Amino acid sequence: MADVAKLAGVSSQTVSRVSNGHESVIPATRDQVLAAMRQLGYRPNSAARALRYGRFNTIGVILFSLASTGNSRTVEAIATHAAAEGYAITLIPVDVPTQDNVLGAFTRMGELAVDAVIVIMEIHLLDAATVTLPPGVYVVVVDSDAGDRYSVVDTDQADGARQAVHHLLGLGHETVWHVSGPETSFASQRRAQAWRSTLEAAGRPVPEPLTGDWSARSGYAAGLSLADEPGCTAVFVANDQMALGLLRAFHERGRAIPDEVSVVGFDDIPDSAYFPTPLTTVRQDFAEVGRRCVQRVLTQIREGQAAQPGTDLVPTQLLIRDSTATAPPVAETIAARKPKRR
Amino acid sequence: MADVAKLAGVSSQTVSRVSNGHESVIPATRDQVLAAMRQLGYRPNSAARALRYGRFNTIGVILFSLASTGNSRTVEAIATHAAAEGYAITLIPVDVPTQDNVLGAFTRMGELAVDAVIVIMEIHLLDAATVTLPPGVYVVVVDSDAGDRYSVVDTDQADGARQAVHHLLGLGHETVWHVSGPETSFASQRRAQAWRSTLEAAGRPVPEPLTGDWSARSGYAAGLSLADEPGCTAVFVANDQMALGLLRAFHERGRAIPDEVSVVGFDDIPDSAYFPTPLTTVRQDFAEVGRRCVQRVLTQIREGQAAQPGTDLVPTQLLIRDSTATAPPVAETIAARKPKRR
DNA sequence: AGACGTAGCACGGTCATTGAC
DNA sequence: TGTCAATGACCGTGCTACGTC
């Protein structure tokens, strides 16, 4: 900075005023300073600034994986909105979700230059780690049921599942099968719970759910099982990728979609409209989730105090495409299917 | 720090010694200090540290979008490897790839607390922005042909495309059609060039390529066109998502895969093994790309000087699944197809 | 001599104060 | 009165140099 001041023939004071947009600098002087900055390739040292102001203008994001569409789209939205507010995003990946690694991430986070943290993970792994969270760092959690302790933003998983099941029951299906995500996922749990309670509320039988791991591979495996299940005419799959695998399994086993079996997914990934059968699915608004996370975090930073615990639910929307149709007559279903088995 | 010192009954000197792992501290004292740190939730101020050391232990990543599988997987690998080396990742998203926005990203980057930058984008937009890159910040570029000016890491796009075309020609296909990505993408350009030159080297006719935008939607549109193309028995699609759309278009038009038409994709996204026809595709090792980026960046930081310009190519691998097969006899192709048109 | 305290400086920028033109 | 120079305190940490027991 002293160099810039010397080159511009002013004091370092004036350089500081210029770089912070202070008003009481005459335009001619300002231009001179700016020219000197450009010439010397000067950039204000953000560490010094942060040290002075006590803020880093950075938000940390802790997550397990960017591999899922949901996470990467949420992170993108967070990064975009944070950037618009002058905040940068620091990613802290936790590759294997063990207690130790999560603790490590928080410890590292504690040493990092962040003003707040957005956590995208299952909250039960967060529990034990909580104590090590440095005070004064604000937290917003995504994909969690910890609304009683944290500020939580999430998709309204339950309502999405409810819409899916209602849609299928409304088409005349006796009941709805379910392929869930992994048991460790709260999103998966909430979708499964809502599926179950909606069926129970309608007085329908509740079939044993199948468990997948979000991957197309696991959806394919589930599909092979369900194709042999008598009376299965409707399936609610907990995400679109598993639905892709399931569609293929049903196709291989000669089960026509949607004529014999209706399928509903979850997420609305861009590809789902181009699955072999365009998929009826529950749309998640990841961008909105990201936006609200940033908004909540910034509110806390600006007000200087933690937000009230509570859950902010982003609505979902059922997109009806071609993978769902009126239920076939019961007798026909079982009779028609049997001969088709290898 | 003074608080910790007071609580532990030592001087701030000793606290500093403990937190930096200095040797001449007796274990008993060290434990006392550590206990005080835990009790007070003390974390060393990284701004002050950065100010002292002149390093931030942070790498910036500039990118357009996390939406594509490739980008998000590369970023994840970067974040993981950087974390293993004690570096954090700061994301700088550029939502709309205009010259202005890229310039803005670099300006912001200049003010950010980063020691180096990894740029994931088409390099021609980088050209004009280059001048504003602050000196002393090291750069590694992904997905670019700027190996003459920058340190570049990239998938060996050309070899991947060559493998795909050779595979199809080896199956007896007269020639290979191509659905490319957007013209603005260098990855797309290189795949298309290699496709063309491989055909030319083999003395085969080069059909007019179709242009998509990486989306399944655009692949579907291209598929509808190609289904009407006489003599089209083999298609090399520039990514898997477009291949998904293309498969559906071909299916709708009654073109059997792989019996009538063979299809090869690019990327090997996890879903591609569960497409309606399991896709033969060129596997990209995104994790390795990310790893090498971090390695290159850290080498520069540690040696304190920019790397020699040059391109580091990560090999690809052709995965043969079920979407490719021996070419049908020429006469049969055209004859068999015609009646199937609506 | 080993373990630890005290003091002072440096890192780079911001801001308040004082005073000059 | 407005614009700017000069000076020094300050942010939190790390390190050197010395001192003490």
Side-chain angles (χ1 to χ4, degrees):
Chain A
M1 192 159 87
D3 298 334
V4 178
K6 195 181 295 175
L7 180 63
V10 300
S11 75
S12 60
Q13 223 30 253
T14 310
V15 176
S16 177
R17 284 188 194 123
V18 169
S19 94
N20 285 49
H22 228 271
E23 66 282 357
S24 64
V25 179
I26 220 163
T29 316
R30 155 175 279 117
D31 290 346
Q32 233 169 347
V33 172
L34 288 175
M37 281 182 174
R38 258 192 300 275
Q39 191 178 329
L40 294 177
Y42 167 83
R43 54 168 186 157
N45 182 316
S46 54
R49 250 184 186 154
L51 182 57
R52 187 71 177 83
Y53 288 128
R55 276 185 296 109
F56 300 98
N57 280 358
T58 297
I59 299 169
V61 177
I62 297 187
L63 40 62
F64 285 145
S65 163
L66 272 175
S68 78
T69 326
N71 279 6
S72 64
R73 278 164 70 184
T74 305
V75 169
E76 182 166 32
I78 289 173
T80 304
H81 286 105
E85 301 279 352
Y87 277 75
I89 289 300
T90 292
L91 283 191
I92 292 91
V94 183
D95 31 314
V96 185
T98 65
Q99 204 75 274
D100 275 356
N101 282 342
V102 176
L103 273 164
F106 276 103
T107 307
R108 223 179 314 135
M109 180 62 85
E111 291 162 4
L112 274 171
V114 296
D115 303 318
V117 176
I118 296 173
V119 181
I120 307 181
M121 65 166 73
E122 284 87 31
I123 193 65
H124 61 278
L125 278 168
L126 189 64
D127 281 350
T130 278
V131 288
T132 70
L133 254 186
V137 172
Y138 309 111
V139 183
V140 169
V141 179
V142 182
D143 185 16
S144 157
D145 63 351
D148 53 330
R149 286 164 295 157
Y150 294 95
S151 188
V152 172
V153 176
D154 202 359
T155 295
D156 194 343
Q157 315 281 357
D159 187 59
R162 233 174 283 130
Q163 287 182 58
V165 174
H166 277 150
H167 169 61
L168 289 167
L169 295 183
L171 287 168
H173 295 274
E174 166 67 11
T175 188
V176 177
W177 264 251
H178 181 50
V179 179
S180 78
E183 284 163 14
T184 52
S185 159
F186 276 92
S188 166
Q189 281 184 17
R190 260 163 297 144
R191 289 171 203 173
Q193 281 162 11
W195 157 78
R196 182 183 298 274
S197 64
T198 307
L199 284 182
E200 285 169 352
R204 305 304 172 90
V206 180
E208 190 64 25
L210 285 82
T211 304
D213 62 4
W214 298 133
S215 73
R217 165 188 291 273
S218 68
Y220 176 74
L224 290 181
S225 281
L226 283 179
D228 289 339
E229 194 69 48
C232 170
T233 68
V235 185
F236 166 48
V237 186
N239 79 337
D240 286 357
Q241 289 183 286
M242 293 197 294
L244 175 66
L246 184 127
L247 288 182
R248 190 156 89 79
F250 277 24
H251 182 74
E252 277 183 13
R253 291 299 176 93
R255 301 275 261 145
I257 294 175
D259 297 339
E260 290 180 56
V261 185
S262 288
V263 177
V264 177
F266 208 107
D267 279 356
D268 187 34
I269 63 174
D271 289 354
S272 63
Y274 294 89
F275 282 2
T277 308
L279 191 69
T280 294
T281 190
V282 178
R283 174 180 205 132
Q284 282 202 69
D285 194 346
F286 297 108
E288 176 65 13
V289 171
R291 199 185 65 77
R292 294 196 192 180
C293 281
V294 172
Q295 184 189 306
R296 287 204 154 207
V297 149
L298 290 183
T299 304
Q300 294 185 65
I301 292 175
R302 283 169 185 157
E303 293 183 355
Q305 59 176 9
Q308 293 296 322
T311 302
D312 187 7
L313 289 181
V314 177
T316 56
Q317 185 193 352
L318 181 69
L319 290 184
I320 298 173
R321 289 201 274 246
D322 303 347
S323 66
T324 49
T326 312
V330 176
E332 188 187 299
T333 324
I334 299 176
R337 197 179 53 78
K338 287 263 159 129
K340 283 190 184 166
R341 292 174 67 175
R342 33 170 171 162
Chain B
M1 193 158 88
D3 298 335
V4 177
K6 195 180 296 175
L7 180 63
V10 300
S11 75
S12 59
Q13 223 26 254
T14 311
V15 176
S16 176
R17 283 194 255 254
V18 169
S19 93
N20 287 50
H22 229 270
E23 66 281 358
S24 63
V25 178
I26 218 163
T29 316
R30 156 174 281 115
D31 290 346
Q32 234 169 348
V33 173
L34 289 175
M37 282 182 173
R38 256 192 301 277
Q39 190 176 330
L40 294 177
Y42 166 81
R43 52 168 185 158
N45 183 315
S46 55
R49 252 190 181 146
L51 182 58
R52 186 77 177 77
Y53 289 125
R55 275 184 297 107
F56 300 97
N57 280 0
T58 298
I59 299 169
V61 177
I62 298 188
L63 40 63
F64 284 145
S65 163
L66 271 175
S68 79
T69 326
N71 278 7
S72 64
R73 279 165 68 185
T74 304
V75 169
E76 182 165 33
I78 290 173
T80 304
H81 286 104
E85 301 279 351
Y87 277 75
I89 289 299
T90 292
L91 283 191
I92 292 90
V94 183
D95 32 314
V96 185
T98 65
Q99 204 75 274
D100 275 357
N101 282 343
V102 176
L103 274 165
F106 277 103
T107 307
R108 223 178 314 134
M109 183 60 88
E111 291 162 4
L112 273 171
V114 296
D115 304 318
V117 176
I118 295 173
V119 181
I120 306 181
M121 64 167 74
E122 284 86 32
I123 193 65
H124 62 277
L125 278 167
L126 190 63
D127 281 350
T130 279
V131 288
T132 69
L133 254 186
V137 171
Y138 309 111
V139 182
V140 169
V141 179
V142 182
D143 186 15
S144 157
D145 62 352
D148 55 330
R149 284 163 298 157
Y150 293 96
S151 189
V152 172
V153 176
D154 202 0
T155 296
D156 194 342
Q157 315 281 358
D159 186 60
R162 233 175 282 130
Q163 287 183 57
V165 174
H166 277 149
H167 170 60
L168 290 168
L169 294 183
L171 288 169
H173 295 273
E174 165 68 12
T175 189
V176 177
W177 265 250
H178 182 49
V179 180
S180 77
E183 283 163 14
T184 52
S185 160
F186 275 92
S188 166
Q189 281 184 17
R190 261 164 297 146
R191 289 172 202 173
Q193 281 162 10
W195 157 78
R196 181 183 301 273
S197 64
T198 307
L199 284 182
E200 285 170 351
R204 305 305 174 89
V206 179
E208 190 65 24
L210 285 82
T211 304
D213 63 4
W214 297 133
S215 74
R217 165 189 292 272
S218 68
Y220 177 73
L224 291 181
S225 282
L226 283 179
D228 289 340
E229 196 66 49
C232 170
T233 67
V235 186
F236 168 48
V237 186
N239 78 337
D240 287 356
Q241 289 183 288
M242 294 196 294
L244 175 67
L246 184 127
L247 287 183
R248 191 156 87 80
F250 277 24
H251 182 73
E252 277 183 13
R253 291 300 175 93
R255 301 276 261 146
I257 292 174
D259 297 339
E260 289 180 55
V261 185
S262 288
V263 177
V264 177
F266 208 108
D267 279 355
D268 186 34
I269 61 175
D271 289 354
S272 63
Y274 294 89
F275 282 1
T277 306
L279 191 69
T280 294
T281 190
V282 178
R283 173 180 205 133
Q284 282 202 70
D285 194 345
F286 297 107
E288 176 65 14
V289 171
R291 198 187 66 76
R292 293 195 193 180
C293 282
V294 171
Q295 185 189 306
R296 287 204 155 208
V297 149
L298 290 183
T299 303
Q300 294 186 65
I301 293 176
R302 283 167 185 160
E303 293 183 355
Q305 59 176 7
Q308 293 296 322
T311 302
D312 186 8
L313 289 181
V314 177
T316 56
Q317 186 194 352
L318 182 69
L319 290 183
I320 298 173
R321 289 201 273 247
D322 304 345
S323 67
T324 48
T326 312
V330 176
E332 189 186 300
T333 323
I334 298 175
R337 198 179 52 79
K338 288 262 159 133
K340 284 189 185 167
R341 292 173 68 176
R342 34 173 166 165

